[in-house]
């Protein structure tokens, strides 16, 4: 039995958990940061909360006799990726490809959220497609700011709230038109789930302030859950597992 620690929080993590379980021969613990009270059913054992830095992760890895570590965290989870990369056991990072601009896109690349704050014009009517904990960077910005959440929220910020979830390009274009947005602000997360807003901005000719990804960790990097499963199997075979 090969013991795998899966750093979760993404669709890729759910896919890896399912695939490892179906494959057999792997004992998997999926780990969540703890931001969500009820993480998606992973079909494997789960734990929640930070480990206590890279050293805390090392202690967990040793205590649970982990053989392989799969980092399936979000592309912007830089600290967790660095902590994973610092471990002495084999580590595989799943990092989905970044979105790339195509004809018709009008992207303004931003090195960081703070850079996006600086580059957003004061007279903009902007849709901030960002997680709630990233909104504080925009506090005090003179632009009219709109954010979306699946449930009513009160962060104490002077933002305008839309209740809803990311949708198709058509849905997003209708929303952008309804609210007369002039700018979209988002992070280059990659993947299909959030791409509707990018297509909508293209259709409407809106500028997108695109926050670039943090530096990638050093080590084994794959792009998909399938590739991570292949890595697990090959590492397990090498180990005689
Ligand atoms: P981060 O800045 O890299 O992580 C901050 C700290 O949170 C880490 O140092 C670690 O604490 C703890 N942590 C993060 N991920 C963890 C995990 N999977 N299990 C246990 N502890 C974890 O990351 P973040 O940007 O705050 O993201 C937090 C989590 O949310 C990640 O797991 C990420 O995958 C998920 N997320 C998902 C999406 C999405 O769209 N699906 C978007 C954003 C974030 P210690 O140093 O104490 O161990």
């Amino acid at each position: 039995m090969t013991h795998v620690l899966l750093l979760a929080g993404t669709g890729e993590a759910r896919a890896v958990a399912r695939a490892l379980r179906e494959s057999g021969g792997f004992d998997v613990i999926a780990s969540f940061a703890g931001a969500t009270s009820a993480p998606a059913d992973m079909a494997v054992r789960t734990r929640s909360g930070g480990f206590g830095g890279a050293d805390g992760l090392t202690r967990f890895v040793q205590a649970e006799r982990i053989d392989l570590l799969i980092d399936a965290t979000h592309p912007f989870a830089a600290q967790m990726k660095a902590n994973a990369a610092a471990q002495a056991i084999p580590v595989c990072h799943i990092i989905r490809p970044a979105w790339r601009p195509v004809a018709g896109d009008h992207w303004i690349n931003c090195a960081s959220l703070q850079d996006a704050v600086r580059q957003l014009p004061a007279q903009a009517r902007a849709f901030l497609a960002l997680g709630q904990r990233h909104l504080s960077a925009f506090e005090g910005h003179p632009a009219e700011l709109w954010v979306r959440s699946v449930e009513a929220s009160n962060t104490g910020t002077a933002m305008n709230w839309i209740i809803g979830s990311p949708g198709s390009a058509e849905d997003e274009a209708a929303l952008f038109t309804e609210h007369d947005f002039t700018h979209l602000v988002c992070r280059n997360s990659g993947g299909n789930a959030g791409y509707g807003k990018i297509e909508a901005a293209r259709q409407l000719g809106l500028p997108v302030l695109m926050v670039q990804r943090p530096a990638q960790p050093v080590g084994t990097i794959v792009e998909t859950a399938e590739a991570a499963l292949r890595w697990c199997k090959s590492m397990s075979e090498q180990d005689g597992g």
Side-chain angles (χ1 to χ4, degrees):
M1 189 65 81
T2 302
H3 298 270
V4 178
L5 175 59
L6 172 64
L7 302 174
T10 59
E12 287 89 343
R14 281 194 297 280
V16 170
R18 200 167 46 241
L20 286 175
R21 188 186 162 93
E22 285 168 6
S23 150
F26 296 98
D27 178 39
V28 183
I29 302 175
S31 175
F32 291 89
T36 313
S37 52
D41 179 18
M42 297 291 285
V44 296
R45 188 151 55 107
T46 61
R47 63 157 314 272
S48 189
F51 297 95
D55 292 346
L57 180 57
T58 301
R59 286 191 290 277
F60 184 91
V61 161
Q62 289 171 348
E64 295 287 341
R65 298 169 179 248
I66 301 295
D67 301 303
L68 303 176
L69 178 51
I70 302 182
D71 160 31
T73 57
H74 189 264
F76 280 80
Q79 187 58 57
M80 193 69 253
K81 290 190 184 308
N83 294 352
Q87 300 306 308
I89 59 169
V91 179
C92 175
H93 305 274
I94 306 177
I95 305 184
R96 66 178 85 121
W99 295 318
R100 296 189 187 286
V102 300
D105 281 331
H106 175 25
W107 288 11
I108 300 159
N109 287 330
C110 302
S112 63
L113 264 186
Q114 289 67 28
D115 189 26
V117 173
R118 280 191 293 273
Q119 297 211 53
L120 183 64
Q123 66 280 17
R125 192 175 159 86
F127 182 52
L128 307 182
L130 303 166
Q132 288 195 26
R133 65 194 184 86
H134 303 296
L135 301 177
S136 58
F138 289 84
E139 261 177 51
H141 195 288
E144 189 175 321
L145 304 174
W146 290 75
V147 293
R148 176 165 58 195
S149 169
V150 285
E151 54 194 29
S153 182
N154 178 12
T155 61
T157 56
M159 308 255 171
N160 301 285
W161 289 86
I162 296 166
I163 307 300
S165 310
S168 65
E170 290 68 31
D171 293 341
E172 300 289 49
L175 181 81
F176 291 7
T177 304
E178 177 190 344
H179 293 286
D180 206 15
F181 294 141
T182 62
H183 291 74
L184 168 65
V185 182
C186 65
R187 302 188 298 174
N188 194 334
S189 299
N192 296 330
Y195 196 63
K197 61 182 178 284
I198 309 298
E199 293 178 287
R202 183 185 312 136
Q203 283 173 21
L204 298 171
L206 297 189
V208 179
L209 279 79
M210 184 66 80
V211 179
Q212 302 302 294
R213 293 177 169 197
Q216 292 196 343
V218 175
T220 300
I221 295 177
V222 300
E223 294 188 344
T224 62
E226 294 74 23
L229 176 66
R230 285 196 294 276
W231 177 84
C232 268
K233 286 182 173 172
S234 91
M235 296 305 291
S236 171
E237 281 162 16
Q238 279 177 33
D239 209 33

